[in-house]
Amino acid sequence: IPEAKFYIFCTHNSAIFSEFNLPKDTKWITAEEGFDDTRDTLWLLTQCRNHLFTHSSYYWWGAWLSEVVYKESKQLILAADNFLNEHTIPERWETF
């Protein structure tokens, strides 16, 4: 995705993040960075056009609700294929 901006949502910072090869302007959305309000963080997730997430119902809801915001735009939503209930992943989403 040309000129993509990366926002990494995570419950806390981890040393593994330093191993990621991400652009320098990547924004980290963690409690340590001042994003500890779950309602505000969920709203931020809905404002993201594209999503890649593991088996988390919280991030699933962010992706699902963002489809309302971007209903006229193309989105790329990638969800991990290890959700307990595989039927929760819509067919229009891709899995990894």
Side-chain angles (χ1 to χ4, degrees):
I1 299 174
E3 300 180 30
K5 294 186 189 300
F6 291 86
Y7 297 88
I8 309 296
F9 290 80
C10 194
T11 54
H12 63 280
N13 287 327
S14 173
I16 193 80
F17 293 160
S18 65
E19 296 181 30
F20 292 175
N21 185 20
L22 294 169
K24 298 235 183 271
D25 63 347
T26 297
K27 303 289 186 219
W28 298 92
I29 312 298
T30 65
E32 290 94 346
E33 298 296 325
F35 297 97
D36 56 357
D37 183 290
T38 56
R39 183 184 58 220
D40 290 345
T41 301
L42 183 59
W43 181 84
L44 286 172
L45 280 166
T46 68
Q47 302 307 298
C48 296
R49 177 173 299 172
N50 302 300
H51 298 260
L52 182 146
F53 59 93
T54 58
H55 59 282
S56 165
S57 61
Y58 184 76
Y59 299 118
W60 182 97
W61 276 108
W64 178 269
L65 293 170
S66 78
E67 290 184 308
V68 174
V69 174
Y70 292 101
K71 63 184 170 193
E72 302 299 321
S73 302
K74 181 175 167 94
Q75 283 188 279
L76 176 60
I77 300 177
L78 300 164
D81 63 2
N82 60 350
F83 273 72
L84 292 177
N85 181 349
E86 71 230 23
H87 301 292
T88 61
I89 304 299
E91 288 183 14
R92 64 189 172 277
W93 293 4
E94 295 183 39
T95 57
F96 63 94

